[in-house]
Amino acid sequence: VYYIGGFKDGLLNGQGTIYLINGKYIGEWKENKRNGKGTIIFTRNGENYSYVGEFRENKFNGQGTMIFGNKDKYIGEWKDDKPNGQGTWQYDNKEKYSGLLKDGHRNGQGTYIWPNGDKYVGEFLKSKQNGKGTFFYANKEKFVGEWSNDKELNGIMYSSTGEIKCTYKNGVKIE
């Protein structure tokens, strides 16, 4: 482990680079802590990660982009090392989520898109479709209504021509 950069009163301060056993950090320091803008590249469990963005008190805080070891990518707001606020997840399997997050989970209003063309626009809670939302199917059908734990709760399923196909009441499909 070694550091190249600024010091103040014997503490890491200003612009600097620290080389660690499992990676490195290049960026701003204040009183021995990552503070301000920076880039960290590290290895965890044999997978490479990188984060470019804002730090506060050694944690990801503010705007930043993380590329995870599995190649998923998150661009957006961070708080205390977790995605919090507005952001976009681009998953390696080509799925995508844009919307609100809380403690790393989809939470609040958002849009989730699948590679086959399916799309959900609505409310999420703990990364599941919960609350009011519309699911647009790739075959042009759509469900408009309420969701609970990724399942249709109350609402109407429309055919691709806009006709009512069926309804749901308390999670039960009514033809």
Side-chain angles (χ1 to χ4, degrees):
V1 176
Y2 67 95
Y3 173 77
I4 301 169
F7 285 93
K8 182 178 178 185
D9 299 326
L11 302 175
L12 309 181
N13 224 68
Q15 193 67 29
T17 301
I18 191 164
Y19 296 88
L20 306 164
I21 293 169
N22 67 339
K24 70 179 175 180
Y25 170 76
I26 304 162
E28 299 174 18
W29 294 86
K30 183 178 178 186
E31 299 174 352
N32 269 4
K33 294 182 180 171
R34 295 184 303 263
N35 267 293
K37 294 185 179 177
T39 300
I40 189 166
I41 300 164
F42 61 97
T43 301
R44 182 185 295 157
N45 299 325
E47 294 186 333
N48 296 320
Y49 292 74
S50 67
Y51 172 84
V52 177
E54 297 174 289
F55 291 82
R56 188 172 63 240
E57 297 290 316
N58 269 345
K59 294 182 178 180
F60 309 142
N61 271 296
Q63 289 293 318
T65 299
M66 170 78 87
I67 299 175
F68 294 84
N70 63 2
K71 306 297 183 234
D72 288 353
K73 182 178 186 179
Y74 173 74
I75 303 164
E77 296 177 71
W78 292 80
K79 183 180 177 190
D80 296 331
D81 284 341
K82 294 179 182 173
N84 269 293
Q86 190 68 36
T88 299
W89 279 99
Q90 297 170 346
Y91 301 98
D92 187 48
N93 66 4
K94 307 298 183 223
E95 294 176 6
K96 181 179 178 179
Y97 171 78
S98 293
L100 293 173
L101 295 112
K102 182 177 180 184
D103 295 329
H105 295 283
R106 297 184 294 275
N107 209 75
Q109 192 67 29
T111 300
Y112 199 102
I113 301 170
W114 287 263
N116 69 353
D118 287 351
K119 176 169 77 170
Y120 172 79
V121 178
E123 297 172 342
F124 288 84
L125 179 64
K126 295 183 181 173
S127 293
K128 296 199 181 271
Q129 295 159 201
N130 269 294
K132 295 187 186 305
T134 301
F135 197 104
F136 299 91
Y137 294 88
N139 68 4
K140 307 295 184 211
E141 292 181 346
K142 72 178 177 181
F143 174 83
V144 179
E146 293 178 79
W147 293 79
S148 179
N149 292 317
D150 287 340
K151 295 187 186 328
E152 297 93 341
L153 183 63
N154 294 304
I156 301 171
M157 176 71 80
Y158 294 93
S159 71
S160 59
T161 60
E163 297 171 12
I164 294 176
K165 189 173 174 181
C166 65
T167 60
Y168 282 79
K169 185 162 176 81
N170 297 320
V172 177
K173 184 177 179 180
I174 301 167
E175 297 287 340

